[in-house]
Amino acid sequence: MGLRERIFASVVGFALTAAALLPAGAQSPGVALVVDRVGAVSLGEAGATRPVATLAVLPAGTRLQLEPASSLTLLYVASGDEYTVSGPGGAQVDAAGVSTTQGAVARRRPPGAARPVQLRGDALAMGGVVMRSGGLRARQPAGMLTAPPERFAWEAFARNDRYVVELRDAAGAVVYEGRAQGLAMPFPASIALKPQERYTWTITVVGDSALTLTSGASFTVAADDVRDEAKRVRPAESAAFSDRLVYALWLEQVGAVGEARQMWQALAEQRPDDDALTARARR
């Protein structure tokens, strides 16, 4: 299985499939993955359209309608080619590529033009446990870490509460305890994390209430080869949106869920009208 096929397989179970949006009898195997969408892009013919979602899997024969100033980027499964279609106009997704009508323009980017991202072919590994309690949720670090953590971060209804952060190693020994106010605190630089050892941290609200509100997450520092690979394939901040999206998928693939959330959040902020990206960031 090639790189682009593995990318496709790693997300197909979580994607919104276009086949489900097409009329009965029109379903066929998916050939392209939506890795970026700007503006109004719809599936189907005029008068019977539905919006296209980022991470949708499109089968051959899918017809698209693009409004002015809109564009759609598709990652092809078999070839690894990437097509960016700009409106206004129409387009059709075929097994061999994208054809356009009504003034739409399609630009092809071959796989050699993209930074290589090596994904394993196994199932998507979430790699960490996040325990929720009421309105408190531990967010970072979580899952596999490909880089040293910069901070502890959490979500809470009350942004200015006081909290206790506690970090334990695989044996359950406390290696750090600190207090914070707000929704984050720096990760202590003095803590030397051991690769491939599982750590657990908890965040607890400090207050006078008899109800103790606590949430926690676990994480593991990746092995050297995974961290080296992450450094090699990590896209620059100026990289194409689709490259950064594929990198977020790679982070999920290796179980780096906390780092992937940061990527999905940045992508969602760049595309605030994209519900699929917002949902991915909130997972």
Side-chain angles (χ1 to χ4, degrees):
M1 181 180 288
L3 168 62
R4 298 304 185 179
E5 290 90 338
R6 293 199 298 273
I7 293 173
F8 183 82
S10 71
V11 298
V12 69
F14 298 89
L16 171 63
T17 60
L21 299 178
L22 295 176
Q27 288 91 343
S28 62
V31 297
L33 175 70
V34 177
V35 292
D36 192 11
R37 177 189 59 80
V38 177
V41 182
S42 302
L43 293 165
E45 303 287 357
T49 60
R50 295 188 181 182
V52 174
T54 305
L55 298 178
V57 178
L58 304 185
T62 299
R63 295 189 177 186
L64 303 166
Q65 290 289 322
L66 296 93
E67 298 301 321
S70 67
S71 65
L72 191 74
T73 301
L74 301 172
L75 181 65
Y76 257 71
V77 179
S79 65
D81 289 343
E82 192 176 272
Y83 286 84
T84 298
V85 188
S86 302
Q92 180 165 317
V93 177
D94 295 312
V98 176
S99 58
T100 59
T101 60
Q102 303 170 337
V105 177
R107 300 189 310 277
R108 171 179 169 269
R109 185 174 74 154
R115 181 187 293 268
V117 176
Q118 300 297 325
L119 295 183
R120 297 198 312 264
D122 57 0
L124 185 65
M126 295 312 293
V129 177
V130 176
M131 299 164 283
R132 305 187 191 188
S133 178
L136 184 64
R137 183 186 182 190
R139 292 288 280 176
Q140 300 167 16
M144 190 73 70
L145 305 186
T146 66
E150 296 180 354
R151 61 177 184 161
F152 295 105
W154 53 92
E155 295 176 352
F157 290 139
R159 300 178 62 89
N160 293 318
D161 278 347
R162 291 174 294 127
Y163 301 91
V164 172
V165 174
E166 187 177 81
L167 176 66
R168 294 178 180 267
D169 62 17
V174 176
V175 295
Y176 175 77
E177 183 176 313
R179 292 179 177 266
Q181 187 169 8
L183 299 180
M185 68 176 295
F187 194 95
S190 59
I191 298 178
L193 298 174
K194 300 177 182 178
Q196 298 181 278
E197 179 168 334
R198 188 180 184 87
Y199 294 87
T200 301
W201 68 279
T202 56
I203 178 73
T204 303
V205 177
V206 177
D208 298 327
S209 172
L211 177 64
T212 300
L213 196 59
T214 299
S215 180
S218 62
F219 64 89
T220 304
V221 177
D224 290 344
D225 60 337
V226 177
R227 285 182 285 159
D228 290 343
E229 179 74 357
K231 186 176 180 179
R232 184 180 69 84
V233 302
R234 185 178 297 120
E237 292 184 5
S238 59
F241 186 94
S242 59
D243 289 343
R244 288 181 283 126
L245 184 145
V246 170
Y247 181 66
L249 294 175
W250 181 85
L251 288 171
E252 288 189 349
Q253 177 75 21
V254 299
V257 294
E259 295 170 1
R261 286 192 195 110
Q262 290 180 282
M263 289 293 299
W264 290 118
Q265 182 62 42
L267 294 168
E269 289 174 357
Q270 193 171 344
R271 301 283 188 268
D273 64 335
D274 196 312
D275 293 339
L277 294 176
T278 299
R280 201 81 174 196
R282 294 294 304 159
R283 280 174 37 180

